[in-house]
């Protein structure tokens, strides 16, 4: 699991490998990956092997610097679940054959110059990495996985181009309604569940991790999908949402698994983005102490809306849907087609009793929950940003927590803040998200050029840069919105708005440096 932020200079844990007791000492800057390598070395297996830790009760223990301390009487058991064979001397030749074979397949299957250039560049990088690494045999296995990932990404990108316009919003057309997963095909769009039962393990969260999860500084890049599922589950229990809605814990697990399956592998709008938005909402609930002004029902609706807000996002925005006259745009009459689709998928999932976390509430409560979640997700359409913010600002002169319209606007703005809150986080966490978003933008603009559709300047790879993409957005959207929320919750100004101002200054400096480099290049 990701780093929870240890404050000790070094740490000692005791483990047991094949009935042999060992002691591991590591520093506070040690990463989860380094710890896994130490455990692999102690177990006498390759560092690519799958290794888990279990405590005396048999519960899984997170392999991270923030894992709970133990002693020689309560060692963690080291279990090798899948052992990867150690490399042999003839692996290099085999790997080169694999590279050549994959390159030939790419060339024959795709016939796209852009893909060929990207593949050759990445394959050359992999070959160079192999030559420089003394442990070539161990790296071969990792490189093969990288090649497989490249191939899958290209295949998925090609599939989106071929299939997306043929997507049909016909849900539950299969024979079984107890399996759901959103997958596009040329004939229909089904929701089926890939995994029948919850299979992600139970993780032991340290006190440091639990506290860290409530902070806007939380680094969402250090967490694996199963760990994110466990953290989301923890939020529902910690906020007492499970008790409020009388949620069956098994149904909660099934629902979270199904939610994860229904996020596509887009560069930006993916399950990690869903977790990122939800974690920020969880942080704002604690920072602003929202339980003092909102009901537990409201808190459950806010968290659930964040989790569902981008379900089955195709990676192309509403402007593309409308201009390309896609089935979604036609279905929803060009009115927030993506946001309407996210809502539809969310409630198709909840329509299954095995995954309905609201199955134990009365009809009036469910009707209220459905109306609120729909309102909040539809409110994330940036085309409505000015409308929502103007209405919210008018309530601030005499905000009334007993006024339903005032509360609805507050909840909409909170979800909007969390949806686009990346720049509130530290630069090392937020900047990779900018790269992901630009990649998704460029994919769309490239496709729009091929299809003869209008291209937005902020999406054109020939016109936009990272600083130009962010400066205006931070100055004219993020800072004004968070400053407005800070009028109700002053702590937001200190913890969040100040971070946005620092991010604005950071990108303005980056822009000046880019301009200076361009001028220097002209002179030379």
């Amino acid at each position: 699991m990701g780093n929870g932020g240890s404050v000790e200079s070094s740490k000692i844990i005791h483990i047991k490998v094949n009935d042999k007791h060992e002691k591991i000492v590591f520093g506070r800057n040690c990463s989860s990956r380094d710890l896994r390598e130490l455990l692999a070395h102690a177990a006498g297996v390759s560092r690519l092997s799958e290794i888990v830790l279990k405590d005396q009760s048999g519960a899984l223990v997170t392999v991270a610097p923030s894992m709970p301390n133990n002693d020689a009487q309560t060692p963690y058991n080291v279990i090798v679940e899948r052992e990867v064979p150690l490399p042999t001397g003839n692996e290099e030749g085999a790997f080169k054959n694999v590279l050549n074979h994959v390159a030939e397949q790419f060339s024959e299957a795709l016939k796209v110059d852009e893909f060929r250039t990207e593949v050759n560049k990445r394959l050359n990088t992999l070959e160079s990495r192999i030559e420089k690494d003394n442990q070539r045999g161990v790296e071969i296995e990792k490189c093969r996985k990288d090649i497989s990932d490249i191939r899958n990404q290209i295949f998925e990108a090609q599939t989106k181009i071929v299939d997306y316009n043929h997507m049909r919003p016909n849900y539950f057309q299969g024979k079984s309604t107890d399996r759901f997963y959103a997958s596009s095909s040329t004939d229909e769009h089904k929701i089926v569940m890939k995994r029948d039962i919850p299979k992600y393990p139970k993780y032991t969260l340290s006190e440091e991790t639990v506290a860290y999860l409530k902070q806007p500084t939380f680094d969402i890049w250090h967490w694996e999908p199963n760990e994110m599922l466990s953290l989301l589950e923890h939020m529902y229990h910690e906020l007492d949402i499970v008790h409020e809605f009388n949620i069956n814990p098994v149904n909660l697990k099934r629902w979270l698994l199904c939610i994860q399956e229904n996020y596509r592998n887009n560069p930006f709008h993916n399950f990690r983005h869903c977790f990122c938005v939800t974690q920020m909402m969880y942080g704002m609930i604690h920072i602003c102490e929202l339980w003092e002004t909102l009901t537990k029902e409201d808190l459950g609706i806010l968290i659930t809306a964040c989790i569902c807000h981008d379900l089955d996002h195709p990676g192309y925005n509403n402007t593309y849907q409308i201009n390309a006259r896609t089935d979604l745009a036609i279905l929803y009459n060009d009115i927030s087609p993506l946001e309407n689709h996210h809502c539809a998928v969310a409630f198709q999932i909840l329509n299954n009793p095995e995954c309905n976390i609201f199955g134990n509430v009365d009809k009036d409560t469910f009707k209220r929950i459905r109306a609120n979640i729909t309102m909040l997700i539809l409110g994330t359409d940036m085309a409505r940003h000015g409308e929502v913010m103007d209405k919210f600002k008018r309530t601030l002169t005499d905000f009334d927590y007993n006024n339903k319209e005032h509360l609805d606007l507050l909840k909409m703005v909170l979800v909007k803040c969390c949806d686009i809150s990346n720049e509130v986080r530290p630069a090392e966490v937020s900047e990779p998200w900018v790269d992901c978003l630009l990649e998704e933008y460029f994919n769309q603009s490239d496709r729009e050029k091929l299809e003869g559709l209008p291209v937005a300047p902020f999406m054109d790879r020939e016109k936009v840069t990272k600083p130009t993409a962010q400066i205006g957005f931070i100055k004219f959207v993020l800072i004004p919105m968070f400053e407005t929320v800070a009028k109700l919750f002053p702590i937001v100004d200190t913890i969040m708005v100040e971070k946005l101002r620092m991010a604005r200054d950071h990108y303005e400096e980056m822009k000046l440096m880019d301009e200076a480099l361009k001028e220097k290049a002209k002179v030379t």
Side-chain angles (χ1 to χ4, degrees), residues 98 157 185 227 266:
V98 171
S185 66
E227 295 173 328
N266 298 315

Side-chain angles (χ1 to χ4, degrees), residues 319-489:
T319 301
Y320 174 82
Q321 308 300 321
I322 294 168
N323 290 338
R325 300 177 184 176
T326 65
D327 288 344
L328 285 182
I330 293 171
L331 177 65
Y332 296 111
N333 301 310
D334 294 349
I335 301 173
S336 303
L338 288 182
E339 289 72 24
N340 274 293
H341 179 59
H342 305 326
C343 291
V345 176
F347 285 98
Q348 289 293 344
I349 293 174
L350 287 170
N351 196 43
N352 184 284
E354 297 294 318
C355 296
N356 187 3
I357 59 174
F358 303 120
N360 293 328
V361 303
D362 59 64
K363 291 182 179 179
D364 290 339
T365 301
F366 182 79
K367 184 178 180 181
R368 192 166 58 246
I369 292 170
R370 174 165 162 74
N372 271 268
I373 290 176
T374 301
M375 172 191 71
L376 296 180
I377 294 178
L378 292 179
T380 61
D381 185 354
M382 287 302 293
R384 297 183 57 200
H385 180 77
E387 166 205 341
V388 173
M389 291 306 301
D390 286 344
K391 289 181 179 179
F392 180 61
K393 288 175 184 177
R394 287 197 291 270
T395 69
L396 296 179
T397 56
D398 187 22
F399 193 89
D400 182 3
Y401 285 100
N402 295 316
N403 184 314
K404 182 180 182 301
E405 182 182 358
H406 289 195
L407 276 180
D408 286 347
L409 285 167
L410 171 61
K411 289 184 288 187
M412 289 175 70
V413 172
L414 287 173
V415 173
K416 285 171 60 63
C417 284
C418 295
D419 187 23
I420 53 178
S421 62
N422 286 327
E423 292 299 341
V424 172
R425 302 182 188 274
E428 62 270 18
V429 179
S430 62
E431 264 197 62
W433 277 121
V434 181
D435 295 326
C436 293
L437 184 60
L438 288 178
E439 182 182 350
E440 198 165 292
Y441 280 175
F442 295 159
N443 287 342
Q444 175 172 321
S445 63
D446 290 346
R447 180 172 175 177
E448 288 170 331
K449 291 175 184 177
L450 287 173
E451 296 178 359
L453 299 174
V455 178
F458 68 89
M459 287 188 170
D460 194 335
R461 67 172 72 245
E462 297 175 0
K463 297 178 181 179
V464 70
T465 63
K466 187 184 293 187
T468 58
Q470 292 302 98
I471 292 173
F473 186 66
I474 296 172
K475 288 173 66 174
F476 303 114
V477 177
L478 290 180
I479 291 179
M481 181 168 63
F482 277 85
E483 283 180 337
T484 304
V485 174
K487 292 179 181 179
L488 276 184
F489 307 103

Side-chain angles (χ1 to χ4, degrees), residues 46-265:
S46 166
R47 63 189 176 96
L48 298 178
S49 300
E50 291 184 6
I51 296 176
V52 298
L53 287 183
K54 290 188 177 182
D55 62 19
Q56 299 296 302
S57 65
L60 287 173
V61 179
T62 304
V63 179
S66 61
M67 69 176 69
N69 290 321
N70 65 351
D71 53 37
Q73 283 69 44
T74 58
Y76 294 134
N77 291 315
V78 178
I79 299 173
V80 180
E81 291 198 337
R82 182 177 67 85
E83 182 175 351
V84 176
L86 292 171
T88 58
N90 59 354
E91 291 289 313
E92 185 177 0
F95 174 66
K96 290 184 177 179
N97 290 335
V98 171
L99 292 179
N100 294 333
H101 182 63
V102 170
E104 290 174 2
Q105 286 185 329
F106 284 170
S107 178
E108 293 175 2
L110 300 180
K111 302 298 183 183
V112 179
D113 291 337
E114 293 85 352
F115 285 141
R116 183 187 298 112
T117 302
E118 180 63 17
V119 170
N120 288 336
K121 179 180 177 181
R122 294 183 69 173
L123 291 179
N124 289 336
T125 301
L126 291 174
E127 288 180 328
S128 175
R129 186 194 309 168
I130 298 276
E131 293 173 356
K132 295 178 180 179
D133 200 319
N134 292 328
Q135 298 178 342
R136 292 183 177 181
V138 175
E139 292 297 324
I140 287 173
E141 192 68 30
K142 184 177 184 303
C143 291
R144 283 176 176 163
K145 182 179 181 301
D146 289 344
I147 293 172
S148 177
D149 290 342
I150 296 169
R151 191 175 183 182
N152 289 338
Q153 290 170 14
I154 294 174
F155 175 78
E156 288 172 4
Q158 189 184 41
T159 301
K160 288 178 185 175
I161 294 174
V162 173
D163 292 340
Y164 181 69
N165 281 327
H166 297 88
M167 185 180 73
R168 296 289 184 267
N170 300 323
Y171 302 104
F172 296 108
Q173 294 184 1
K175 296 181 180 179
S176 172
T177 59
D178 63 344
R179 299 165 59 80
F180 16 175
Y181 174 64
S183 59
S184 58
S185 66
T186 55
D187 298 321
E188 60 185 11
H189 187 73
K190 294 182 181 178
I191 297 183
V192 296
M193 186 164 179
K194 283 184 174 180
R195 293 177 277 184
D196 292 319
I197 58 174
K199 293 183 178 179
Y200 61 93
K202 178 183 177 182
Y203 290 93
T204 302
L205 301 181
S206 68
E207 293 182 4
E208 293 164 311
T209 299
V210 170
Y212 186 40
L213 186 62
K214 300 174 183 177
Q215 302 302 318
T217 54
F218 188 86
D219 190 343
I220 46 77
W221 296 109
H222 286 179
W223 308 83
E224 297 175 357
N226 282 346
E227 295 173 328
M228 289 187 281
L229 289 171
S230 289
L231 292 172
L232 291 173
E233 185 180 2
H234 168 79
M235 294 178 195
Y236 275 79
H237 285 280
E238 194 270 339
L239 292 173
D240 206 28
I241 300 171
V242 172
H243 179 267
E244 174 68 18
F245 297 119
N246 192 21
I247 299 174
N248 182 332
V250 176
N251 280 10
L252 177 60
K253 291 176 180 289
R254 289 197 186 100
W255 178 72
L256 286 171
L257 280 167
C258 193
I259 290 292
Q260 182 188 48
E261 302 292 358
N262 282 279
Y263 272 91
R264 301 197 195 186
N265 189 27

